[in-house]
Amino acid sequence: MNFDLTEDQAAIRDAARDFAESEIAPSATERDLNAEFPSEIVKRLGELGFMGMMVPPEWGGAGLDTVCYVLAIEEISKKDASVGVIMSVNNSLVCYGIEKFGSDHLKEKYLKPLASGKLLGAFCLSEPEAGSDATQQRTEAVLDGDHYVLNGMKNWITNGVNADIYLIQAMTDKSKGYKGISTFILEKNTEGVEVGKKEDKLGIRSSDTCTLGLNNVKVPKENLVGSEGLGFKIAMETLNGGRIGVAAQALGIAQASLEAAVKYSKERKAFDAPISELQAIQFKLSEMAVLTEAARMLIYQAALKKDRREKFIKEASMAKLAASQAAVHCALEAIQIHGGYGYVREYLVERYLRDAKITQIYEGTSEIQRIVVARELLRD
């Protein structure tokens, strides 16, 4: 498998790196402290084509491959993982679901403005009692004439406060279990939609997360994505691709942690020499580098398989599991190498650790990824 980047892929990586350095990094610490959503940055990402990277140009996107996408997510997440997840949700979860399963009417009405950055999307699957087990949906959608009426609650909605469009899962036929789940596109300003308070989170604080209440919300019949009963399949296929995006986000955090640790170890002196000369520090740096590069290769493998339209479920889960572990480990070790300075906001590594932890939880916990990998292995 060839991991050499094409000219286009290298150009996308460099463009994302330059944008992250010049427009994201300067405000990242302040936005984290104040839990401030990066509205202007998201707008600029849309203008540059980063909010619908894999969507074909005829539907408003950039028409790029998955490798370009993960390169961009890594570079942006190195400077601010909050911006990385905002971008990932819109690309991997919302745009993909509509492009793959939506009608031309829905693509024209919603996908084009989402992919071009004119609208922001959110993905609504989790509920108070339906997290890792997404089959336990309680939100209902009842057909009433030319509308479905939705009632229920969704939890942990990334982009939920600032999104314009929700891709939402609801039960249309309880008797069929998970085969009775359907997917809808819901506009935020619809009557009966109640956006809950923004959660006060440990990390990725510049992205917003909230609960969404649905009280007799009317959704037009034509906003059904695919057909009734297809919702669970849509959600699972969407999450498979989404895991590659989250893995790339985790990789950005791991790489940022490694670079910070290397830089500090060369500058900090102890016992009349830089601490980088101490074997204890060298061992830490070596392990961080190995974990980060291994995660990168797994991510590229998953991305390439997706681009080739090969089965990539196992590879996506392996990439997310490895990258999220690398992110947490590298952030912890970066703090250890920084000593007391690593524990204060002045040095960025404490933010890296807070941001890293969620990558082991959302879009499928590490435990779920292990189950997926084992299941796929045993099917072979």
Side-chain angles (χ1 to χ4, degrees):
M1 188 170 283
N2 183 8
F3 290 145
D4 291 339
L5 301 183
T6 66
E7 287 188 16
D8 288 345
Q9 289 167 347
I12 291 296
R13 178 201 60 198
D14 293 345
R17 181 179 295 166
D18 291 345
F19 178 82
E21 182 66 43
S22 63
E23 300 196 38
I24 295 176
S27 61
T29 298
E30 184 178 358
R31 285 185 288 100
D32 169 71
L33 181 63
N34 298 323
E36 178 186 346
F37 189 82
S39 299
E40 288 304 311
I41 290 171
V42 172
K43 181 181 177 182
R44 285 284 291 133
L45 284 170
E47 293 169 353
L48 293 171
F50 285 117
M51 296 303 284
M53 294 186 69
M54 297 170 288
V55 175
E58 59 264 34
W59 298 118
L64 298 169
D65 60 23
T66 312
V67 175
C68 285
Y69 171 60
V70 299
L71 290 167
I73 289 282
E74 178 190 350
E75 293 299 332
I76 286 166
S77 298
K78 276 175 65 176
K79 299 304 179 184
D80 188 354
S82 293
V83 178
V85 75
I86 294 166
M87 178 178 156
S88 177
V89 166
N90 200 76
N91 274 275
S92 296
L93 302 186
V94 183
C95 285
Y96 174 81
I98 299 173
E99 180 200 341
K100 178 74 181 289
F101 298 99
S103 65
D104 285 354
H105 166 73
L106 294 178
K107 292 177 185 178
E108 183 68 34
K109 185 174 182 180
Y110 297 113
L111 182 57
K112 278 189 174 181
L114 285 164
S116 60
K118 294 181 176 65
L119 297 178
L120 181 64
F123 182 76
C124 306
L125 177 63
S126 295
E127 298 184 0
E129 296 185 30
S132 293
D133 184 1
T135 64
Q136 302 301 308
Q137 298 284 302
R138 295 192 177 184
T139 297
E140 290 185 277
V142 178
L143 184 59
D144 183 12
D146 59 355
H147 287 78
Y148 285 89
V149 180
L150 273 61
N151 283 281
M153 181 174 289
K154 294 294 179 178
N155 261 22
W156 314 119
I157 309 304
T158 302
N159 297 347
V161 175
N162 287 277
D164 305 287
I165 300 297
Y166 302 113
L167 194 65
I168 193 161
Q169 318 296 323
M171 188 70 73
T172 48
D173 189 341
K174 283 186 175 181
S175 68
K176 294 182 179 179
Y178 73 92
K179 293 183 178 180
I181 298 172
S182 302
T183 301
F184 301 88
I185 295 176
L186 171 63
E187 297 180 14
K188 179 183 180 179
N189 60 5
T190 305
E191 184 178 355
V193 175
E194 295 183 1
V195 178
K197 71 176 181 66
K198 183 170 66 175
E199 300 290 351
D200 188 10
K201 306 190 300 287
L202 171 72
I204 57 166
R205 289 173 52 79
S206 188
S207 78
D208 63 74
T209 305
C210 71
T211 296
L212 198 68
L214 305 168
N215 299 297
N216 293 321
V217 175
K218 290 185 177 181
V219 178
K221 277 176 63 175
E222 58 265 28
N223 280 27
L224 173 68
V225 180
S227 58
E228 282 197 10
L230 197 63
F232 190 74
K233 174 182 171 64
I234 292 172
M236 293 302 103
E237 282 201 25
T238 300
L239 286 173
N240 287 333
R243 285 164 184 163
I244 299 176
V246 171
Q249 179 202 20
L251 176 62
I253 299 169
Q255 184 65 41
S257 300
L258 174 60
E259 291 177 8
V262 169
K263 182 176 183 292
Y264 184 81
S265 71
K266 291 179 178 179
E267 297 170 350
R268 176 69 171 179
K269 289 188 176 182
F271 310 108
D272 299 322
I275 63 171
S276 59
E277 295 184 12
L278 297 172
Q279 190 179 68
I281 301 299
Q282 292 176 355
F283 280 8
K284 290 181 183 295
L285 295 175
S286 296
E287 187 173 11
M288 292 166 71
V290 169
L291 291 174
T292 300
E293 196 62 24
R296 180 174 286 111
M297 293 299 101
L298 285 169
I299 293 167
Y300 287 3
Q301 177 180 241
L304 284 166
K305 280 183 171 287
K306 183 174 182 289
D307 286 336
R308 294 172 181 170
R309 301 187 185 279
E310 299 174 9
K311 188 176 181 182
F312 64 92
I313 296 172
K314 178 181 69 178
E315 288 76 13
S317 285
M318 290 171 70
K320 183 182 182 296
L321 178 62
S324 60
Q325 288 177 323
V328 172
H329 178 85
C330 290
L332 276 168
E333 291 289 55
I335 291 174
Q336 193 69 20
I337 289 169
H338 279 70
Y341 290 109
Y343 206 67
V344 297
R345 286 186 182 272
E346 181 183 353
Y347 288 76
L348 302 180
V349 290
E350 63 86 29
R351 170 161 62 87
Y352 298 159
L353 178 60
R354 290 187 289 104
D355 288 349
K357 183 56 193 174
I358 191 60
T359 66
Q360 294 182 317
I361 298 173
Y362 59 15
E363 291 190 40
T365 63
S366 294
E367 290 75 17
I368 289 295
Q369 303 317 312
R370 291 184 175 94
I371 291 171
V372 172
V373 172
R375 183 185 64 202
E376 294 301 312
L377 284 171
L378 294 170
R379 279 180 178 172
D380 293 341

